[in-house]
Coordinates of all heavy atoms in Angstrom, one line a residue:
V242 N 51.5 62.6 89.8 CA 50.1 62.8 89.9 C 49.6 63.5 88.5 O 48.5 63.2 88.1 CB 49.8 63.9 91.0 CG1 48.4 64.3 91.1 CG2 50.2 63.3 92.4
A243 N 50.5 64.3 88.0 CA 50.2 64.9 86.7 C 50.0 63.8 85.6 O 49.2 64.0 84.7 CB 51.2 65.9 86.2
L244 N 50.9 62.8 85.6 CA 50.8 61.7 84.7 C 49.4 61.1 84.8 O 48.9 60.4 83.7 CB 51.9 60.7 85.0 CG 52.1 59.4 84.1 CD1 52.3 60.0 82.7 CD2 53.2 58.6 84.6
Q245 N 48.8 60.9 85.9 CA 47.5 60.2 86.2 C 46.4 61.0 85.4 O 45.4 60.5 85.1 CB 47.2 60.1 87.6 CG 48.2 59.3 88.4 CD 48.0 59.3 89.9 OE1 47.0 59.9 90.4 NE2 49.0 58.8 90.6
K246 N 46.6 62.3 85.1 CA 45.7 63.0 84.3 C 45.6 63.0 82.9 O 44.8 63.5 82.2 CB 45.7 64.6 84.9 CG 45.6 64.8 86.3 CD 46.0 66.3 86.7 CE 46.1 66.5 88.2 NZ 46.4 67.8 88.4
K247 N 46.6 62.3 82.4 CA 46.9 62.3 81.0 C 45.9 61.2 80.3 O 45.4 60.3 80.9 CB 48.3 62.0 80.6 CG 49.2 63.1 81.0 CD 50.7 62.9 80.6 CE 51.6 63.9 81.0 NZ 51.3 65.2 80.4
Q248 N 45.8 61.3 79.0 CA 44.9 60.5 78.2 C 45.4 59.0 78.4 O 46.6 58.7 78.4 CB 44.9 60.8 76.7 CG 44.3 62.2 76.5 CD 42.9 62.4 76.8 OE1 42.1 61.4 76.7 NE2 42.4 63.6 77.1
Q249 N 44.4 58.0 78.4 CA 44.8 56.7 78.5 C 44.2 55.7 77.4 O 44.4 54.5 77.5 CB 44.4 56.2 79.9 CG 45.1 57.0 81.1 CD 44.6 56.6 82.4 OE1 43.8 55.8 82.6 NE2 45.2 57.2 83.4
T250 N 43.5 56.2 76.5 CA 42.8 55.4 75.5 C 43.0 56.1 74.1 O 43.3 57.3 74.1 CB 41.3 55.1 75.8 OG1 40.7 56.4 75.8 CG2 41.1 54.3 77.0
I251 N 42.7 55.4 73.1 CA 42.7 55.8 71.7 C 41.7 56.8 71.4 O 40.6 56.9 72.1 CB 42.8 54.8 70.6 CG1 41.5 53.9 70.6 CG2 43.9 53.8 70.9 CD1 41.3 53.1 69.5
A252 N 41.8 57.6 70.4 CA 40.7 58.5 69.9 C 40.5 58.3 68.3 O 41.5 57.7 67.7 CB 41.2 60.0 70.1
I253 N 39.4 58.6 67.9 CA 39.0 58.4 66.5 C 39.3 59.6 65.8 O 39.2 60.8 66.1 CB 37.4 58.1 66.4 CG1 37.1 56.9 67.2 CG2 37.1 57.8 64.9 CD1 37.9 55.6 66.9
G254 N 40.0 59.4 64.5 CA 40.1 60.5 63.6 C 41.4 61.3 63.8 O 41.7 62.3 63.1
Q255 N 42.3 60.7 64.6 CA 43.7 61.3 64.8 C 44.7 60.2 64.7 O 44.4 59.1 64.7 CB 43.7 62.0 66.1 CG 42.9 63.3 66.3 CD 43.0 63.9 67.6 OE1 42.5 63.4 68.7 NE2 43.7 65.0 67.8
I256 N 46.0 60.6 64.5 CA 47.1 59.6 64.6 C 47.3 59.2 66.1 O 47.7 60.2 66.9 CB 48.4 60.3 64.0 CG1 48.1 60.7 62.5 CG2 49.4 59.4 64.1 CD1 49.2 61.7 62.1
N257 N 47.1 58.0 66.4 CA 47.1 57.6 67.8 C 48.6 57.1 68.1 O 49.1 56.3 67.5 CB 46.2 56.5 68.0 CG 44.8 56.9 68.2 OD1 44.4 57.4 69.3 ND2 44.0 56.8 67.2
I258 N 49.2 57.8 69.1 CA 50.5 57.5 69.4 C 50.5 57.1 71.0 O 50.0 57.8 71.8 CB 51.4 58.8 69.4 CG1 51.5 59.3 68.0 CG2 52.8 58.4 69.9 CD1 52.2 60.5 67.8
V259 N 51.0 55.9 71.2 CA 51.0 55.4 72.6 C 52.3 55.4 73.3 O 53.3 55.1 72.7 CB 50.4 53.9 72.8 CG1 51.2 53.0 72.0 CG2 50.2 53.6 74.1
V260 N 52.4 55.9 74.4 CA 53.6 55.8 75.3 C 53.4 54.7 76.2 O 52.3 54.8 77.0 CB 53.9 57.2 76.0 CG1 55.2 57.0 76.9 CG2 54.1 58.3 75.1
V261 N 54.2 53.6 76.1 CA 54.1 52.5 77.0 C 54.2 53.0 78.5 O 55.3 53.5 78.7 CB 55.0 51.4 76.7 CG1 54.8 50.2 77.6 CG2 54.7 51.0 75.2
L262 N 53.3 52.7 79.3 CA 53.3 53.2 80.7 C 54.1 52.1 81.5 O 53.6 51.2 82.0 CB 51.9 53.3 81.3 CG 51.6 54.0 82.6 CD1 52.2 55.4 82.6 CD2 50.2 54.0 82.9
L263 N 55.4 52.5 81.7 CA 56.3 51.7 82.4 C 56.3 51.9 83.9 O 56.0 52.9 84.3 CB 57.7 51.8 82.0 CG 58.0 51.6 80.5 CD1 59.5 52.1 80.1 CD2 57.8 50.2 80.1
P264 N 56.5 50.9 84.8 CA 56.4 51.1 86.2 C 57.5 52.1 86.6 O 57.2 53.0 87.6 CB 56.8 49.7 86.7 CG 56.3 48.8 85.7 CD 56.5 49.4 84.5
Y265 N 58.5 52.2 86.0 CA 59.7 53.0 86.3 C 60.0 54.2 85.3 O 61.2 54.5 85.0 CB 61.0 52.3 86.7 CG 60.7 51.4 87.9 CD1 60.7 50.0 87.7 CD2 60.5 51.9 89.1 CE1 60.4 49.1 88.7 CE2 60.2 51.0 90.2 CZ 60.1 49.6 90.0 OH 59.9 48.7 91.0
M266 N 59.0 54.5 84.6 CA 59.1 55.4 83.5 C 59.7 56.7 84.0 O 59.5 57.2 85.1 CB 57.7 55.8 82.9 CG 57.8 56.8 81.8 SD 56.3 57.0 80.9 CE 55.2 57.5 82.1
S267 N 60.6 57.3 83.1 CA 61.3 58.6 83.5 C 61.2 59.6 82.2 O 60.9 59.1 81.1 CB 62.7 58.4 83.8 OG 63.5 58.0 82.7
N268 N 61.2 60.8 82.6 CA 61.1 61.9 81.5 C 60.1 61.8 80.6 O 60.2 61.9 79.3 CB 62.6 62.0 80.9 CG 63.7 62.6 81.8 OD1 64.0 62.0 82.8 ND2 64.1 63.8 81.4
Y269 N 58.8 61.7 81.1 CA 57.7 61.8 80.2 C 57.4 63.1 79.6 O 56.6 63.3 78.7 CB 56.4 61.1 80.8 CG 55.8 62.0 82.1 CD1 55.2 63.1 81.9 CD2 56.1 61.5 83.3 CE1 54.7 63.8 83.0 CE2 55.6 62.1 84.4 CZ 54.9 63.3 84.2 OH 54.4 64.0 85.3
T270 N 58.2 64.2 80.1 CA 58.1 65.5 79.3 C 58.7 65.4 77.9 O 58.4 66.4 77.3 CB 58.8 66.5 80.3 OG1 60.2 66.0 80.5 CG2 58.1 66.8 81.6
D271 N 59.3 64.4 77.6 CA 59.8 64.1 76.3 C 58.6 64.3 75.2 O 58.9 64.5 74.0 CB 60.4 62.8 76.1 CG 61.8 62.7 76.6 OD1 62.5 63.9 76.7 OD2 62.3 61.7 76.8
F272 N 57.4 64.0 75.6 CA 56.3 63.9 74.7 C 55.3 65.0 74.8 O 54.2 64.9 74.2 CB 55.6 62.5 74.9 CG 56.5 61.4 75.2 CD1 56.6 60.8 76.4 CD2 57.5 61.0 74.2 CE1 57.6 59.8 76.6 CE2 58.4 60.1 74.4 CZ 58.5 59.4 75.6
N273 N 55.7 66.2 75.4 CA 54.8 67.3 75.5 C 54.4 67.9 74.3 O 53.3 68.3 74.1 CB 55.4 68.4 76.5 CG 55.5 67.9 77.9 OD1 54.8 67.1 78.3 ND2 56.3 68.6 78.6
V274 N 55.3 68.0 73.3 CA 55.0 68.6 72.0 C 54.0 67.8 71.2 O 53.1 68.3 70.6 CB 56.3 68.9 71.1 CG1 56.0 69.4 69.8 CG2 57.2 69.9 71.9
L275 N 54.2 66.4 71.2 CA 53.3 65.5 70.5 C 51.8 65.7 71.0 O 50.9 65.6 70.4 CB 53.7 64.2 70.6 CG 54.9 63.7 69.7 CD1 55.4 62.4 70.0 CD2 54.4 63.8 68.2
E276 N 51.8 65.9 72.4 CA 50.5 66.1 73.1 C 49.8 67.3 72.5 O 48.5 67.4 72.5 CB 50.7 66.2 74.6 CG 50.8 65.0 75.3 CD 50.7 65.2 76.8 OE1 51.4 66.2 77.4 OE2 50.1 64.4 77.5
K277 N 50.5 68.4 72.2 CA 50.0 69.6 71.7 C 49.7 69.6 70.3 O 48.9 70.6 69.7 CB 50.9 70.8 72.1 CG 51.2 71.0 73.6 CD 49.8 71.3 74.3 CE 50.0 71.3 75.8 NZ 48.7 71.4 76.5

Side-chain angles (χ1 to χ4, degrees):
V242 178
L244 185 60
Q245 296 169 12
K246 301 173 186 175
K247 294 185 181 292
Q248 299 291 333
Q249 297 179 356
T250 57
I251 66 167
I253 305 300
Q255 290 177 289
I256 303 166
N257 281 284
I258 303 176
V259 63
V260 177
V261 179
L262 190 57
L263 303 172
Y265 300 108
M266 179 172 64
S267 66
N268 284 69
Y269 63 79
T270 51
D271 281 337
F272 316 115
N273 288 343
V274 176
L275 282 172
E276 277 188 318
K277 298 300 175 185

